[in-house]
Amino acid sequence: MIRIDFDHSYARDLPDACAPVQPERPPAPTLLYWNAELAQELGLDSGQADAAELAAAFSGATLPAGAKPVAQAYAGHQFGGLSPSLGDGRALLLGEVMDRNGQRRDIAFKGSGRTPFSRRGDGKAAVGPMLRELIIGEAMHALAIPSTRALAVTATGETVYREQALPGAVLTRVAASHLRVGTFQYFALRGERDMLRRLADYTLARHYPELACAEQPYLALLQAVAERQAELIARWMHAGFIHGVMNTDNMALSGETIDYGPCAFMDVHHPSTVFSSIDSGGRYAYGNQPAIAQWNLARLAETLLPLLDPDEPKNAVPAATAVIEDFAERYQTHWLQQARRKLGLSQAQDIDQELAEDWLALLARQDADHTLAWRRLADAAEGQDQTLTQLFNDPAAAAPWLTRWRQRLDAEPQAAAERAAALRQANPLYIPRNHLVEEALAAASDHGDMGPTLALLDALRQPFTERAGLERYTLPAAPEVAQGYRTFCGT
């Protein structure tokens, strides 16, 4: 039996925020993926467990000893519309562990069957969407973007029905926590102030213990969450990542990226890029993500007003509003800091903001690939412009900006070779290209072939280091393949 030293602080401290549920037993679990590196990081004792034992333990067939699964309650704004009662309709928190760095982390199932929050859903998941979450989460982790991660993916041996019949799967997800903006909304909408305070105190203790003794700890909590989100969204934007469903129930208070549904990475750089099939209005388009993060934080701020001023919550509006209004500046600070690194600038100058913004505007006008254009700045730093300019509709269009960039680099102390090396460590070569993700998912779902998924994961684990034989993982899809590409939620 798999032994995990579980704790259950969430269920113990916040029993009204969850409901005990047992996962449904899958008929024939088979291990598709086991993240041995992450298991070691978590300090899990899997002993001499073989693939069959791991499949049973991480599918719900035989739970790891010490697991006490619960479904968590939360509300959420979904595409701007408020749903007062959502909750884990197909997820279960098994418990928490202290990892080797002393950090408390959740271990949870996704796709393990119905819960009290399932409404009309079956609580199940299919192989394809669970492998997408694995691939994108591991890619984000390798890119140093805070993210939930997959410990295991297990095929259940049963069929789930969506638009078509699909093989079922359970994902085992690891997160700093599953606390969301929607968790606070759930209790604020019910007017349960005592529960709201307990939830805020739990969040402070778990993620921001240094703020517990602040003069205004709940205002400090809002500021800290805003700061982490500002940095996170800036990282998304520089990576060309589009979450696709930035509902308030998908914003984690830990500052991690959570819930990889219709997500994707851009090929051609365009701010209006949307991949999600359910985002017909473009609410969560690439260029809208910073503003949506700010909007979500405003919803969090609203839930905290009764804690900020219990006697007259409306009196707390100015202080909370100031935090929300400050988000744009927080985001811009992180965005520019990261842009300087990606442009090879170690020292700050006032012209850097305009230089970076003009670079992205150039990419959009020239239909240039987001990832490769950034990456090939390293070649340009060594005087080899062609690999960069060939990405543009009009190669000559890059010349004026490159002249400005080189003039700016003249103020930097690095030699050309040192600068190029730094640029290659700042700008990845390998990202989860959409056509390669789809290829991997189709092979696993349709043919039971995990080979393409494992090969793609291998490329993504070292995104900054060019390796021979991986050339196909650097290239975007052909235009006729990329045109009209859409991603789906998978629920």
Side-chain angles (χ1 to χ4, degrees):
M1 178 176 287
I2 308 300
R3 296 194 174 276
I4 301 176
D5 189 14
F6 276 122
D7 189 24
H8 302 279
S9 69
Y10 189 90
R12 182 173 60 247
D13 296 352
L14 303 168
D16 295 337
C18 57
V21 188
Q22 289 297 311
E24 296 183 21
R25 292 177 61 88
T30 304
L31 188 69
L32 298 180
Y33 176 82
W34 173 249
N35 194 332
E37 176 190 355
L38 179 56
Q40 184 176 28
E41 183 181 316
L42 295 172
L44 301 190
D45 179 15
S46 57
Q48 300 300 314
D50 59 21
E53 291 175 295
L54 291 171
F58 293 101
S59 66
T62 58
L63 286 176
K68 297 178 182 179
V70 296
Q72 295 177 300
Y74 49 85
H77 278 87
Q78 298 188 306
F79 290 88
L82 180 61
S83 296
S85 183
L86 293 171
D88 286 334
R90 59 172 180 165
L92 292 177
L93 173 63
L94 302 185
E96 307 131 20
V97 298
M98 300 299 291
D99 69 17
R100 294 192 183 278
N101 296 317
Q103 300 298 310
R104 182 180 295 270
R105 298 168 79 176
D106 284 358
I107 298 180
F109 281 166
K110 188 172 183 179
S112 54
R114 288 182 56 81
T115 79
F117 305 105
S118 295
R119 300 180 297 282
R120 294 185 300 274
D122 61 10
K124 304 296 179 64
V127 165
M130 297 305 93
L131 290 181
R132 182 187 298 276
E133 183 147 345
L134 160 67
I135 292 168
I136 304 300
E138 290 303 287
M140 297 286 269
H141 175 71
L143 291 167
I145 301 174
S147 174
T148 60
R149 298 181 66 190
L151 176 64
V153 180
T154 305
T156 60
E158 64 182 338
T159 300
V160 298
Y161 295 92
R162 300 299 181 255
E163 290 81 7
Q164 57 184 316
L166 297 168
V170 172
L171 169 81
T172 302
R173 180 165 67 187
V174 176
S177 82
H178 287 78
L179 293 162
R180 312 157 186 260
V181 172
T183 316
F184 279 75
Q185 290 181 293
Y186 184 84
F187 294 104
L189 288 166
R190 286 160 174 72
E192 297 183 28
R193 288 195 184 185
D194 179 64
M195 189 62 202
L196 198 61
R197 185 179 301 278
R198 289 163 59 193
L199 179 61
D201 289 343
Y202 179 87
T203 305
L204 282 165
R206 182 153 181 180
H207 293 302
Y208 306 96
E210 71 280 4
L211 303 179
C213 296
E215 183 177 352
Q216 296 178 292
Y218 305 123
L219 185 63
L221 172 62
L222 179 61
Q223 292 169 331
V225 172
E227 184 70 24
R228 288 195 186 179
Q229 287 296 325
E231 182 175 6
L232 176 67
I233 304 303
R235 291 185 181 276
W236 286 8
M237 299 297 284
H238 278 299
F241 173 73
I242 303 170
H243 186 279
V245 61
M246 288 179 66
N247 299 330
T248 56
D249 56 296
N250 291 338
M251 177 178 274
L253 300 190
S254 64
E256 285 186 333
T257 313
I258 192 170
D259 281 336
Y260 294 108
C263 59
F265 283 72
M266 280 195 307
D267 287 333
V268 173
H269 178 95
H270 281 300
S272 61
T273 301
V274 174
F275 292 119
S276 171
S277 64
I278 58 176
D279 192 6
S280 57
R283 176 181 175 88
Y284 299 141
Y286 168 78
N288 290 346
Q289 292 181 133
I292 290 295
Q294 185 179 40
W295 192 91
N296 288 349
L297 288 166
R299 307 290 76 78
L300 175 63
E302 290 166 354
T303 72
L304 294 176
L305 294 178
L307 304 185
L308 297 176
D309 192 326
D311 296 327
E312 193 57 68
K314 69 179 182 180
N315 290 340
V317 169
T321 299
V323 176
I324 302 307
E325 291 179 343
D326 187 49
F327 176 81
E329 184 175 347
R330 292 175 187 266
Y331 165 77
Q332 202 59 55
T333 296
H334 286 290
W335 186 90
L336 182 55
Q337 181 182 30
Q338 294 170 31
R340 286 191 173 111
R341 182 169 178 264
K342 290 172 71 68
L343 289 170
L345 309 177
S346 62
Q347 301 174 346
Q349 289 192 13
D350 292 341
I351 65 171
D352 296 347
Q353 178 85 29
E354 184 178 7
L355 184 68
E357 291 176 347
D358 288 351
W359 164 246
L360 293 181
L362 174 64
L363 299 190
R365 288 195 305 272
Q366 291 295 316
D367 297 326
D369 184 83
H370 179 92
T371 300
L372 289 180
W374 279 108
R375 177 71 178 192
R376 290 178 182 173
L377 283 176
D379 298 340
E382 295 176 317
Q384 303 171 29
D385 293 356
Q386 186 178 3
T387 60
L388 170 61
T389 59
Q390 68 184 10
L391 299 174
F392 299 158
N393 292 332
D394 175 11
W401 185 88
L402 286 172
T403 297
R404 291 168 56 199
W405 179 55
R406 290 189 170 109
Q407 290 172 344
R408 173 65 183 84
L409 291 177
D410 287 342
E412 294 290 320
Q414 298 100 330
E418 180 184 3
R419 179 179 298 121
L423 283 166
R424 291 188 178 103
Q425 287 302 306
N427 296 304
L429 180 59
Y430 307 106
I431 61 165
R433 294 287 183 179
N434 299 324
H435 64 295
L436 297 177
V437 172
E438 296 299 336
E439 174 187 288
L441 301 189
S445 182
D446 299 344
H447 307 292
D449 180 5
M450 283 292 291
T453 295
L454 298 177
L456 179 56
L457 285 170
D458 180 66
L460 297 174
R461 285 202 177 97
Q462 298 181 60
F464 302 98
T465 303
E466 185 168 5
R467 285 168 284 162
L470 299 182
E471 289 77 15
R472 71 186 300 260
Y473 295 99
T474 71
L475 302 177
E480 61 271 17
V481 175
Q483 186 175 14
Y485 176 70
R486 289 291 177 266
T487 55
F488 299 86
C489 193
T491 58

